[in-house]
Amino acid sequence: MTVAKPRLHVLLAGPRGFCAGVDRAIRIVEEALKRHGAPVYVRHEIVHNRFVVEGLERLGAIFVDELAEVPDDGQPVVFSAHGVPKSVPAEARDREMYFLDATCPLVSKVHREAERLHARGRHLLLIGHEGHPEVIGTMGQLPDGAMTLVHDAEAARRVTPPEGAELTYTTQTTLSVDDTAEIIAILRERFPGITEPAKESICYATTNRQAAVKAVAARSDLVVVVGAPNSSNSVRLREVAERAGAPRAVMVQRGAELDPALADGCATIGVTAGASAPELLVQEVVDRLRERFDVTTEDVTVAIEDVIFRLPPMRVVA
């Protein structure tokens, strides 16, 4: 006798998964491999997702920590989507390397804004996570001491900028919208003269994915976030889900990592994915749940994204 599976309703948050910056970075590596053949060297993970990285490795990409590991063989070197300090392309030019910058254009906008504000004599407070590649890249756009990192609300209460400095702030693009608003409020209270950046620094994709996970969390007994533990935007999605009302939120990198028994007793669960996780991995999670449950799905879409970023110019191969 076949025992009927318990029913489970899965809310699929939208938007989820790849953003335009991640898609562009991956396409840059793929196009470089097509044009120039293997190997193509990539400084750091092109995006924070092992599935993506391993797929590019199979095509012939070689990931390195620093340019010192790259031989002088004339093959392309790609800089990751998170951005790099100015010292990295400077080193590449000194070595006459052929390099392609896959920095997300929205991160590059933060870099250029930081340069403009510094040129106007402002001291920048950068709201972001210490040690994250994007933060390292942004701070590396300006001379040492021109920018001070503020990594959380407590740091905002303690930060001591240079005396008499005119202050402004900017942010990492993948932060929690709510946490960042709290930090900015503290900075405004402490430094009434602080000026705002010309444009919002947290990117549209981060904002949209957090809004989408809030929409499903309020209806869910459990939220599953597909993403890597070193992916800032994925970690933020799990945190946002819990704060938005989900009794529990977990993060997995692949469907095989998910224990379907976590959903026992749940009527409805939400599923989303960080900006560097492909849709295939979301489907893995749904399929994993189908092993134990009679699954129905519902799309919960809060925004439609149609942003596309162009690839940088590449050498013509004869």
Side-chain angles (χ1 to χ4, degrees), residues 72-126:
D72 294 318
D73 58 6
Q75 286 295 100
V77 180
V78 181
F79 302 151
S80 81
H82 308 102
V84 296
K86 282 188 172 180
S87 58
V88 174
E91 179 185 349
R93 292 187 190 99
D94 288 344
R95 291 181 56 188
E96 298 183 343
M97 289 178 158
Y98 170 38
F99 66 87
L100 297 165
D101 189 354
T103 301
C104 173
L106 299 180
V107 174
S108 294
K109 282 186 178 180
V110 174
H111 291 179
R112 303 293 79 79
E113 179 76 357
E115 288 178 321
R116 285 192 291 270
L117 291 167
H118 174 66
R120 294 173 188 166
R122 301 295 175 87
H123 182 84
L124 273 80
L125 302 180
L126 172 61

Side-chain angles (χ1 to χ4, degrees), residues 49-177:
N49 188 278
R50 286 306 306 168
F51 178 84
V52 171
V53 168
E54 290 168 3
L56 294 173
E57 285 176 333
R58 287 191 291 272
L59 295 176
I62 296 177
F63 291 83
V64 300
D65 290 328
E66 300 298 342
L67 295 185
E69 301 170 49
V70 178
D72 294 318
D73 58 6
Q75 286 295 100
V77 180
V78 181
F79 302 151
S80 81
H82 308 102
V84 296
K86 282 188 172 180
S87 58
V88 174
E91 179 185 349
R93 292 187 190 99
D94 288 344
R95 291 181 56 188
E96 298 183 343
M97 289 178 158
Y98 170 38
F99 66 87
L100 297 165
D101 189 354
T103 301
C104 173
L106 299 180
V107 174
S108 294
K109 282 186 178 180
V110 174
H111 291 179
R112 303 293 79 79
E113 179 76 357
E115 288 178 321
R116 285 192 291 270
L117 291 167
H118 174 66
R120 294 173 188 166
R122 301 295 175 87
H123 182 84
L124 273 80
L125 302 180
L126 172 61
I127 302 171
H129 298 293
E130 188 171 8
H132 189 277
E134 184 184 329
V135 166
I136 293 170
T138 299
M139 295 193 77
Q141 302 306 304
L142 303 184
D144 289 347
M147 193 180 300
T148 300
L149 181 63
V150 179
H151 56 83
D152 60 14
E154 185 56 36
R157 295 185 183 97
R158 297 193 317 264
V159 65
T160 305
E163 187 173 355
E166 290 188 68
L167 299 179
T168 189
Y169 69 86
T170 189
T171 76
Q172 185 178 332
T173 63
T174 55
L175 299 178
S176 161
V177 173

Side-chain angles (χ1 to χ4, degrees), residues 3 42 48 82 91 101 176 230 290 301:
V3 179
V42 185
H48 284 155
H82 308 102
E91 179 185 349
D101 189 354
S176 161
N230 62 338
R290 291 189 195 280
T301 302

Side-chain angles (χ1 to χ4, degrees), residues 4 37 41 53 87 106 109 117 133 189 193 202 229 231 259 276 282-283:
Y41 302 97
V53 168
S87 58
L106 299 180
K109 282 186 178 180
L117 291 167
E189 182 178 358
I202 296 177
S231 166
D259 179 3
S276 50
V282 174
Q283 295 308 311

